[in-house]
Amino acid sequence: MRFSFVLAAMLLLAASASVEAQRASFGVWKNPQDSVHVRAQPCGSRMCGVVVWASDKAKADARRGGTNDLVGLILFRDFVPEKKGVWRGSVFVPDIGQTFSGTITTLDDRRMEGKGCLTGRIMCKSQIWTKVN
C-alpha cells in the first residue's frame, strides 16, 4: 500500500513537471527578424502557433507564396510533446506555401528553437525565437 502511494505521488509530480514544461512553451514568440509574432497555444490536446502580428514585408512575402492573410494563419500545426521541452508537429512556410515536419525546443524561459525539415528529417533549417513580453 505504501509503495503504491509513493509511486502515485511520483507519477503526479512527473505529470506536473511535464505540464509546467509545456506551459513554458506557450505565449507569444517573435522570429529572429522580428517580422512575425506567433502565439503558441493549446489547440485541443495539441499545441498550435497562430500568427498574431506580421510586418508589411512578411505579409507581402506570404502573398507571393499564395497566402493572402498571414495574420490569423496557423503556422505551427498539431504539435505534440515528444519529451520535456520538445514538441513535434508540422510547420507551414507561407513564403513558399509548403508544410514541413518540425520541432520546437524550449531552450529557456525566453528562447525556443524552431526547426523544420524535409521528409526523413533531412535538409533542416532552424531559428531561435524569442518570447515577446
Side-chain angles (χ1 to χ4, degrees):
M1 171 92 161
R2 184 173 181 189
F3 176 75
S4 296
F5 177 75
V6 170
L7 182 59
M10 288 173 57
L11 290 173
L12 183 61
L13 285 173
S16 296
S18 176
V19 168
E20 282 307 310
Q22 291 175 15
R23 283 193 188 132
S25 302
F26 298 151
V28 178
W29 299 85
K30 64 181 179 178
N31 67 351
Q33 300 79 23
D34 195 18
S35 60
V36 175
H37 293 189
V38 172
R39 179 183 301 113
Q41 62 191 32
C43 292
S45 63
R46 299 170 183 253
M47 178 176 67
C48 63
V50 180
V51 178
V52 295
W53 176 85
S55 69
D56 289 340
K57 181 183 181 324
K59 291 175 187 175
D61 291 344
R63 278 192 296 276
R64 279 193 291 280
T67 301
N68 290 328
D69 297 317
L70 184 56
V71 175
L73 183 73
I74 299 175
L75 291 186
F76 305 149
R77 301 172 177 183
D78 296 323
F79 274 77
V80 294
E82 185 172 72
K83 58 185 176 183
K84 184 178 178 182
V86 179
W87 297 80
R88 180 166 301 284
S90 300
V91 179
F92 179 70
V93 180
D95 301 9
I96 58 175
Q98 294 195 9
T99 303
F100 299 94
S101 66
T103 58
I104 294 172
T105 304
T106 304
L107 302 175
D108 56 40
D109 62 346
R110 306 284 315 143
R111 298 174 307 128
M112 73 174 182
E113 178 186 38
K115 183 186 289 186
C117 304
L118 296 176
T119 304
R121 299 183 190 175
I122 59 169
M123 303 268 307
C124 299
K125 290 194 175 199
S126 65
Q127 294 181 330
I128 303 297
W129 290 60
T130 307
K131 199 164 223 179
V132 175
N133 291 334

